[in-house]
Amino acid sequence: MYEVLIPRVLEAFARPDEAEQDFLRRVQASDVRLQQQYRTQRRVGSEIYADPMIRAAYLLRYLGHYTLQLGDVLTGLDGNPEAAAVLSQPHLQATALCGGPGPELIALAALHAQLGGSSLALSVLDHNARHWADCWPIAQAIANTYPRHPAVSIQGLATELLAPAVSPWERELLQQTQVMTAMNCLNELVGHGRARLETALRQRLDALPAGALVLASDQAFYGACEAGIQLLHALLVERGARILLADITKAQCHSVANRFQVPGRIAWIYGAEQNNRFRVHVQQLRLAARMP
């Protein structure tokens, strides 16, 4: 994966004729800034992602881990006939709430390719769509090369997920969605108020067609994530969805291993001498359900 990711990040974010080491020094400084934000702020605002170097640092640190995180949700569904009935369809349409750079595309492409899928389209719904747009071709290149999926595509659409009502175009998109994901977004959304989040989730669940899969994963490290995923679980149960997987309390959390080595080409960015270890919290909450 990194064999595709690193050169694509260089191509997208380095200055013209900038030496790789000089670019990576800038990435390292941005990575430190990003980690400081996460450590010192309860909720990291979206403004920071307007900086292209923050996005470059985010991709190198998190894209692999978040791909594996959704991959572990899909692994938890292995052998489940209801999940297989959706995920093995030749043409799969997925929608990612707060999808950011689109790691969902890579994880879904890996499984869909194994199941003989023909085409996979992911729509990213994100307040920051205008910022993440330069990351989506990178996710698509990895999905094309790493899992060798025959045909993947990704598009991003700006939306206000906590707006009082779902827009007509978003409702139409959700009505065609076979898989909806909510990855690593509940912590921030809960921070805006439980009532607003409940309204937002209700409207989107109600727009999904019968039989659609809903997949969610978030960090057990944060209480807001636990509250958010339990809210989503309650709304799914209220609608009669069949719960396929539910690790939704910290006591039930699932350990996700970092099953990759950071290549030496970028490993120095996270060296101990920088006080910037490559560490991602791996205790995850997981939820999967199929709409009635």
Side-chain angles (χ1 to χ4, degrees):
M1 179 173 176
Y2 279 104
E3 292 176 1
V4 180
L5 176 62
I6 295 172
R8 289 282 182 158
V9 169
L10 280 161
E11 179 183 351
F13 297 102
R15 295 166 179 158
D17 302 321
E18 183 176 22
E20 177 176 318
Q21 201 69 2
D22 291 339
F23 170 71
L24 291 178
R25 288 191 188 96
R26 293 200 295 129
V27 169
Q28 195 273 337
S30 296
D31 191 82
V32 169
R33 179 183 162 211
L34 184 61
Q35 299 314 304
Q36 288 172 341
Q37 290 275 331
Y38 288 153
R39 285 195 297 268
T40 60
Q41 295 188 16
R42 176 174 173 269
R43 177 169 54 85
V44 177
S46 60
E47 297 81 9
I48 193 173
Y49 302 116
D51 183 344
M53 291 307 299
I54 289 290
R55 297 196 297 278
Y58 189 100
L59 287 170
L60 292 180
R61 177 180 281 269
Y62 291 118
L63 193 69
H65 175 77
Y66 289 160
T67 298
L68 290 174
Q69 185 177 331
L70 182 57
D72 272 9
V73 175
L74 296 171
T75 299
L77 296 174
D78 188 31
N80 185 289
E82 292 190 66
V86 178
L87 296 167
S88 63
Q89 294 182 58
H91 306 287
L92 196 61
Q93 174 67 53
T95 298
L97 299 184
C98 300
E104 297 90 346
L105 180 71
I106 304 168
L108 287 169
L111 178 59
H112 197 229
Q114 292 175 16
L115 296 174
S118 301
S119 67
L120 166 64
L122 177 72
S123 297
V124 175
L125 298 178
D126 200 294
H127 172 74
N128 270 339
R130 65 192 184 282
H131 299 330
W132 294 114
D134 52 12
C135 301
W136 298 326
I138 297 173
Q140 183 168 321
I142 294 170
N144 276 323
T145 306
Y146 176 62
R148 298 191 181 278
H149 193 286
V152 294
S153 63
I154 183 170
Q155 66 168 342
L157 302 162
T159 186
E160 295 297 333
L161 290 169
L162 295 175
V166 177
S167 64
W169 64 261
E170 186 178 342
R171 185 176 301 279
E172 182 179 354
L173 173 67
L174 289 166
Q175 288 170 346
Q176 301 170 18
T177 292
Q178 296 153 295
V179 180
M180 186 182 81
T181 64
M183 290 277 294
N184 301 304
C185 64
L186 296 172
N187 181 41
E188 181 172 346
L189 294 178
V190 169
H192 288 281
R194 179 185 173 94
R196 293 179 68 191
L197 175 57
E198 181 172 348
T199 298
L201 292 176
R202 280 182 183 279
Q203 292 185 65
R204 284 162 180 83
L205 292 176
D206 289 343
L208 292 174
L213 279 183
V214 177
L215 309 177
S217 182
D218 225 316
Q219 295 187 10
F221 184 73
Y222 300 106
C225 297
E226 187 175 35
I229 206 163
Q230 288 179 10
L231 172 59
L232 178 58
H233 178 267
L235 292 173
L236 286 163
V237 171
E238 181 182 282
R239 277 150 185 74
R242 185 181 296 275
I243 305 300
L244 308 179
L245 179 67
D247 303 324
I248 58 173
T249 68
K250 192 170 183 178
Q252 299 170 311
C253 65
H254 174 70
S255 295
V256 182
N258 278 325
R259 297 186 295 272
F260 55 86
Q261 295 293 324
V262 180
R265 189 174 177 181
I266 62 170
W268 67 270
I269 294 174
Y270 315 105
E273 66 279 7
Q274 306 290 348
N275 193 27
N276 191 35
R277 294 180 302 153
F278 188 91
R279 182 176 183 274
V280 179
H281 292 294
V282 296
Q283 298 298 314
Q284 304 292 340
L285 306 170
R286 303 186 300 173
L287 176 62
R290 191 176 187 193
M291 298 300 293

